[in-house]
Amino acid sequence: MARLRKKACVALFLFTLFIFGTMMGLRTLKPSDGFSDLAPGLELMPVAGDRADRRSISNEVVASPAQPRAVGNAKTALWHSSPDKGIFYDVHIFYYVWYGNPKVDGKYLHWDHVLVPHWDPKIAASYPKGRHTPPEDIGSSFYPELGPYSSRDPVLLESHMEQLEASGAGVLVLSWYPPGLADDNGEAAEDLVPAIMDAAHRHRIKVAFHLQPYKGRTDRTVHDNIKYIIDKYGNHGAFYRFKTSTGKILPLFYIYDSYLTQPGSWADLLTVSGSHSLRNTPYDGVFIALIVEERHKHDILSSGFDGMYTYFASNGFSFGSSHQNWKAIKTFCDANNLMFIPSVGPGYIDTSIRPWNNHNTRNRVNGKYYETSLQAALMVRPEIVTITSFNEWHEGTQIEKAVPKKTATRMYLDYQPHKPDLYLELTRKWAEQFNREKEQWLM
């Protein structure tokens, strides 16, 4: 009897272990129920205003003014820029320049990220406080092959552009703050933009701008931002422009946390009849808003935006980032002459800086999560796909090369059993697949 009981216990233990493993695997692919606790205050987002004028967009990309702009060259630039390895300008990737180290910047920036406390003091009391201490302890669950680098290092920039070129992603979407401004954990880096654009140009990569929600951002300050960017960078060979279905050749801008500004204020900037409209001026563009909640699609429409993107790499984190909602969002966009630009990522883990946020972790499953996300994006036949991200190390969404590392206090995640360039290779594989499928859609 004792032997039978022992066997039964072993069998029960193995069965329980199997069920636990299966649930953890499914967790990486299945959306969570409801909206997460990651972003408090989203319940205060604005209500939709009046309907705005729309303009339909076609999937063409053209060279910047410093390069030939003939329409006949547009499709060539879109599909392949080289007989060897193509660069695909309908694959955009979010890129961050907030990192620093003592060798280049005199101190660490962002790698020493603070441990963000939970907004509920009772929950916050259960988690560690303080900040990371590079180089052995950094604010990431992965460790970069290039170490805790500086975004100002010219050698680093060249390596990044080589990796981007290898991935096939043709448009670097630069996280941007106006001169003198930065996020809460970094320092102003707008002066670095020329070096980034020069490095990108050497590798056939274009640069678009991802306007961040700096303190005091309004529709009027964004008007000034757009004018500044176009005046300063519009003639650079790497400056990204998009050809609309009406034949206009316009810059494309992503506006992060666009919901923080009321639709009526955006309409003053983005509709033809707006009080300080950019439309039909030298500063007109293709403006893409962030959709988080379902009701944002109506706000985006009334605001005068040209489309919407989803950004977050955690499937199920928000309405917009949930793969199961992309078909409905795309249908809404098609009906209203808007672009839908889904965002995909290789996984998500931000517990190195938000230790209480484990419920939003999405395991990479050796690349399967990334491929599942990419397949979901292609299913809705988008004109552009965005990747979150090239190097947002804090949230574990990077496709940049990472390496195994173990210290006295940390065991970092890595891409093993695959090589450090696994996600660069998967990006190229799916960029090529995306463009093969688009050729069939056009037929």
Side-chain angles (χ1 to χ4, degrees):
M1 285 296 291
R3 210 173 308 152
L4 278 174
R5 280 197 300 271
K6 185 176 180 181
K7 288 183 177 179
C9 288
V10 170
L12 180 61
F13 172 76
L14 292 174
F15 178 73
T16 303
L17 192 63
F18 170 76
I19 293 297
F20 177 76
T22 302
M23 293 301 293
M24 287 299 291
L26 290 174
R27 180 174 177 269
T28 66
L29 302 177
K30 183 180 178 182
S32 58
D33 293 327
F35 194 78
S36 83
D37 297 326
L38 181 57
L42 288 173
E43 68 278 7
L44 303 177
M45 294 176 189
V47 179
D50 295 330
R51 182 180 176 125
D53 297 330
R54 307 292 348 135
R55 298 175 308 147
S56 61
I57 308 294
S58 69
N59 190 23
E60 298 275 351
V61 67
V62 298
S64 67
Q67 296 174 328
R69 289 177 51 182
V71 174
N73 291 339
K75 185 167 285 189
T76 303
L78 173 64
W79 303 119
H80 294 283
S81 298
S82 162
D84 300 317
K85 286 192 173 182
I87 294 291
F88 302 96
Y89 297 109
D90 46 8
V91 178
H92 298 188
I93 187 163
F94 297 110
Y95 184 84
Y96 294 86
V97 291
W98 52 28
Y99 301 107
N101 63 25
K103 181 179 179 181
V104 178
D105 307 273
K107 59 183 176 181
Y108 283 108
L109 296 171
H110 266 268
W111 300 114
D112 64 342
H113 202 288
V114 66
L115 293 169
V116 180
H118 196 278
W119 51 91
D120 183 334
K122 292 181 180 179
I123 298 176
S126 303
Y127 291 95
K129 300 175 179 63
R131 63 189 316 126
H132 291 278
T133 54
E136 297 297 287
D137 171 35
I138 64 172
S140 172
S141 294
F142 294 85
Y143 204 87
E145 183 182 66
L146 297 171
Y149 53 73
S150 169
S151 296
R152 294 183 176 276
D153 184 348
V155 176
L156 176 281
L157 286 178
E158 197 66 21
S159 175
H160 277 184
M161 298 308 156
E162 288 172 358
Q163 291 185 49
L164 282 168
E165 188 175 24
S167 78
V171 179
L172 178 160
V173 184
L174 178 64
S175 179
W176 186 85
Y177 290 87
L181 298 180
D183 70 284
D184 292 339
N185 295 284
E187 295 184 351
E190 206 285 328
D191 62 314
L192 185 54
V193 175
I196 293 167
M197 298 191 77
D198 289 346
H201 191 49
R202 288 193 293 271
H203 292 270
R204 305 171 296 158
I205 294 165
K206 303 296 181 185
V207 177
F209 288 78
H210 194 195
L211 273 63
Q212 296 299 310
Y214 53 84
K215 185 177 181 180
R217 189 183 76 179
T218 68
D219 53 297
R220 291 190 176 275
T221 65
V222 170
H223 182 285
D224 295 339
N225 298 156
I226 299 300
K227 186 176 185 298
Y228 173 89
I229 290 169
I230 293 175
D231 284 345
K232 187 164 185 178
Y233 305 117
N235 288 324
H236 195 286
F239 190 74
Y240 176 71
R241 281 180 165 82
F242 187 91
K243 186 174 183 295
T244 73
S245 62
T246 59
K248 290 185 177 181
I249 298 168
L250 300 172
L252 187 147
F253 297 93
Y254 292 90
I255 313 294
Y256 189 69
D257 281 358
S258 50
Y259 57 79
L260 295 175
T261 299
Q262 292 286 341
S265 297
W266 283 128
D268 285 338
L269 180 71
L270 300 177
T271 64
V272 173
S273 59
S275 61
H276 53 103
S277 177
L278 293 170
R279 300 306 187 187
N280 301 318
T281 75
Y283 304 104
D284 201 354
V286 177
F287 299 95
I288 309 297
L290 176 66
I291 177 170
V292 180
E293 294 186 353
E294 182 174 12
R295 61 192 174 95
H296 290 161
K297 63 187 183 185
H298 299 287
D299 296 346
I300 290 167
L301 178 62
S302 65
S303 295
F305 283 101
D306 300 294
M308 58 190 77
Y309 74 116
T310 62
Y311 185 77
F312 301 109
S314 183
N315 181 23
F317 164 65
S318 68
F319 173 84
S321 71
S322 298
H323 304 164
Q324 65 187 17
N325 297 326
W326 286 355
K327 183 178 180 181
I329 299 172
K330 179 62 158 56
T331 299
F332 176 87
C333 288
D334 288 347
N336 291 284
N337 282 331
L338 295 171
M339 292 179 71
F340 175 52
I341 304 179
S343 303
V344 303
Y348 187 93
I349 179 168
D350 67 355
T351 51
S352 66
I353 63 167
R354 302 182 188 102
W356 39 265
N357 196 42
N358 184 61
H359 59 284
N360 277 310
T361 295
R362 299 294 179 267
N363 298 322
R364 294 194 174 212
V365 203
N366 292 324
K368 291 183 176 62
Y369 180 89
Y370 193 31
E371 297 201 82
T372 298
S373 301
L374 286 157
Q375 182 62 61
L378 268 57
M379 288 289 288
V380 298
R381 297 189 173 190
E383 297 176 80
I384 291 171
V385 170
T386 49
I387 297 170
T388 307
S389 64
F390 178 76
N391 64 337
E392 219 296 9
W393 288 90
H394 305 311
E395 296 182 345
T397 63
Q398 79 289 336
I399 69 166
E400 183 183 354
K401 294 179 181 181
V403 292
K405 186 174 178 66
K406 181 180 179 180
T407 72
T409 58
R410 296 283 304 270
M411 170 72 86
Y412 290 92
L413 300 175
D414 56 59
Y415 305 160
Q416 289 186 333
H418 301 283
K419 295 179 180 179
D421 62 355
L422 168 65
Y423 293 96
L424 304 177
E425 292 181 351
L426 288 177
T427 302
R428 171 163 292 282
K429 168 188 168 182
W430 282 90
E432 292 172 351
Q433 177 67 20
F434 180 30
N435 280 271
R436 281 195 297 270
E437 292 192 16
K438 287 177 75 172
E439 288 178 332
Q440 296 175 356
W441 303 343
L442 294 173
M443 290 173 62

